[in-house]
Amino acid sequence: MRGGFPIDICQPGHYKTLLTIERESSSGSFAVGGTIKLITNIESMQEEANRLLEAGKTIVLVPTMGFLHEGHLALMREGRKHGDVLTISIFVNPTQFGQNEDFNTYPRDLKRDMNLAESVGVDIVFAPTAEAMYEKGYQTYVNLEVLPRYLCGISRPGHFRGVATVVTKLFNIVKPRVAIFGEKDYQQLVIIRRMVKDLNFDIRIIGVPTVREADGLATSSRNTYLSQEERDSALCLYQSLQLAAEKIARGTRNADELIDAASRLIRSHPDTRIDYVAFCDPETLENVERIDRPTLMALAVWVGKTRLIDNAVLKP
Ligand code: PAF
């Protein structure tokens, strides 16, 4: 019954089998039983994780905010390779959105997501409610000292505090041995790696390269906000990365010169506003002035009312 996801979603507090398909796990060591499960209750997820761990299974987690696209599916395909039970979380996390950001309008479609997750062999979808994740009286947050001060952290204060907090909670609920994140959110990936090291999580973090549309636009749930004209303008992010790569290949080393060239290119596209174009150290995210070693070029650009990000590590 591939692709035929039933409409009924289980009530909070329970999970039930939504599909029955025969499937072997890629490790060959464990037949999941041919089912994809939707779990919406935190305690049920923890109990399920405990059962799996007692049975000696390796849990892999792909955290998402849903409205899945090819980029997410690439994370899941990678996840499938690294353990017995592939779990994804779908949770639009309120604590990582600023007051004037798109939390309320962020696209949500659990039924569609379940179909897509099933198509790439996901075993469990964990989709808790915000009320359960942040119950009345909630007051504990995970904060990194330095990495959130750069790039997106400047225009999105509190964003990475929300990310680090929810990822910590997801780790404690799903109990994965491996977790997969996209390089598209490069700063997030660096922050999660640092947090896992600092807090001694026994979890391997795997980064997966950005998936792009045929013309180079990085896949993102927020691309659905774009009109056709904005979609055309949005290509300026990828074009800026390409332009910088070409200039570096031809010998340019000065970061300001590259930022100027990229900024001109971006401004030549209608309805664009630059949040930042930056060159930085790929691990510390500190500013880099000369490109004489692999350097992260990261940018955030508003296209109409949509803020898009992209990045690449460029080598001289
Ligand atoms: O990258 C995302 O979709 C989110 O930031 C994450 C990691 C799922 C945390 O909410």
Side-chain angles (χ1 to χ4, degrees):
M1 188 180 168
R2 279 198 174 266
F5 179 70
I7 293 176
D8 57 328
I9 300 299
C10 54
Q11 295 305 308
H14 302 281
Y15 70 76
K16 65 181 173 184
T17 299
L18 292 163
L19 294 174
T20 46
I21 42 171
E22 285 307 312
R23 178 163 41 76
E24 293 287 317
S25 84
S26 61
S27 69
S29 61
F30 171 53
V32 173
T35 60
I36 182 169
K37 284 174 180 170
L38 173 63
I39 302 179
T40 57
N41 177 273
I42 293 173
E43 289 72 31
S44 301
M45 183 66 240
Q46 284 175 316
E47 283 164 19
E48 180 76 0
N50 289 340
R51 269 195 293 277
L52 291 166
L53 294 177
E54 275 160 30
K57 309 304 175 199
T58 303
I59 302 170
V60 179
L61 173 64
V62 179
T64 83
M65 296 206 301
F67 214 71
L68 305 178
H69 51 67
E70 265 310 312
H72 293 116
L73 301 186
L75 306 185
M76 292 170 204
R77 289 190 191 101
E78 183 62 31
R80 201 49 285 166
K81 299 180 201 160
H82 294 279
D84 303 307
V85 183
L86 178 57
T87 300
I88 71 164
S89 57
I90 296 180
F91 179 61
V92 184
N93 172 36
T95 64
Q96 69 188 73
F97 287 79
Q99 271 198 338
N100 298 318
E101 292 185 351
D102 56 344
F103 174 70
N104 288 326
T105 52
Y106 197 86
R108 294 159 168 90
D109 190 340
L110 186 55
K111 183 179 158 232
R112 174 183 170 279
D113 288 347
M114 290 292 292
N115 267 325
L116 287 168
E118 185 270 330
S119 75
V120 290
V122 168
D123 299 304
I124 298 173
V125 174
F126 174 56
T129 63
E131 291 71 27
M133 288 292 272
Y134 299 105
E135 58 181 27
K136 204 165 171 289
Y138 189 90
Q139 52 186 286
T140 306
Y141 292 89
V142 179
N143 219 6
L144 284 85
E145 290 289 322
V146 180
L147 288 168
R149 290 189 198 154
Y150 301 105
L151 305 176
C152 291
I154 298 170
S155 51
R156 303 189 72 189
H159 170 67
F160 290 113
R161 172 188 190 249
V163 170
T165 300
V166 80
V167 170
T168 298
K169 287 169 70 65
L170 291 168
F171 285 171
N172 284 328
I173 296 166
V174 177
K175 310 182 190 218
R177 176 50 58 94
V178 178
I180 318 277
F181 293 84
E183 289 175 2
K184 154 94 181 341
D185 294 297
Y186 191 96
Q187 186 173 14
Q188 169 172 283
L189 177 60
V190 172
I191 283 175
I192 301 294
R193 283 195 201 284
R194 185 73 252 173
M195 178 186 88
V196 161
K197 213 166 194 282
D198 288 353
L199 298 184
N200 309 104
F201 282 109
D202 191 8
I203 298 174
R204 189 169 150 223
I205 303 299
I206 295 177
V208 173
T210 302
V211 174
R212 298 180 181 281
E213 309 278 354
D215 57 6
L217 181 70
T219 57
S220 164
S221 304
R222 290 189 168 101
N223 290 350
T224 55
Y225 298 152
L226 302 171
S227 68
Q228 188 50 56
E229 293 72 29
E230 290 170 342
R231 171 71 181 68
D232 294 342
S233 283
L235 269 185
C236 69
L237 286 97
Y238 179 61
Q239 288 170 357
S240 300
L241 296 172
Q242 279 186 313
L243 178 68
E246 280 161 21
K247 282 182 165 291
I248 291 169
R250 277 191 262 111
T252 307
R253 293 289 175 267
N254 185 292
D256 283 343
E257 215 177 292
L258 296 167
I259 291 170
D260 282 350
S263 303
R264 275 197 302 277
L265 186 149
I266 293 165
R267 289 193 191 105
S268 73
H269 288 72
D271 235 355
T272 56
R273 184 163 53 84
I274 296 171
D275 180 353
Y276 65 78
V277 179
F279 286 83
C280 31
D281 180 278
E283 276 173 35
T284 65
L285 303 184
E286 279 162 13
N287 226 31
V288 162
E289 281 168 15
R290 276 194 65 76
I291 320 297
D292 42 23
R293 61 198 151 98
T295 301
L296 175 73
M297 178 179 179
L299 62 165
V301 177
W302 287 92
V303 181
K305 291 197 167 91
T306 308
R307 185 178 175 280
L308 299 174
I309 56 172
D310 206 341
N311 71 79
V313 176
L314 303 179
K315 294 177 186 126

